[in-house]
Amino acid sequence: MLMAHPAVHTELVAQYDALRVLNAEQSSPAVRQRMDDLAYTLCTATGTADVDAALVAARHRLPGARPEDDSLVTD
């Protein structure tokens, strides 16, 4: 599978997190659409089907992520 460059992941995660912090789900239709677009792009860039899994996978691929990071392990 082709993987997006880490800089792409950095930008997508930052934008998605910013909208989530601003509670974009309760915002205008245009802002909600942007959040949906970011979620779709994150899923495509990471090869996942769920935005939460995409965020974990993207963060795991960010510069400085440690290979021994257990963020992908669930309890």
Side-chain angles (χ1 to χ4, degrees):
M1 177 173 97
L2 291 174
M3 300 302 291
H5 190 277
V8 172
H9 291 142
T10 301
E11 184 62 26
L12 291 172
V13 169
Q15 288 182 36
Y16 191 85
D17 284 344
L19 288 175
R20 187 166 32 186
V21 166
L22 294 172
N23 202 18
E25 296 91 1
Q26 307 301 322
S27 190
S28 70
V31 174
R32 284 193 306 273
Q33 181 62 51
R34 178 64 182 147
M35 198 165 184
D36 289 344
D37 291 346
L38 285 166
Y40 175 82
T41 305
L42 275 163
C43 289
T44 302
T46 58
T48 60
D50 174 79
V51 71
D52 293 322
L55 287 166
V56 170
R59 286 186 179 110
H60 190 70
R61 294 182 185 119
L62 293 178
R66 298 180 320 245
E68 65 275 1
D69 184 359
D70 65 351
S71 62
L72 295 178
V73 178
T74 59
D75 295 318

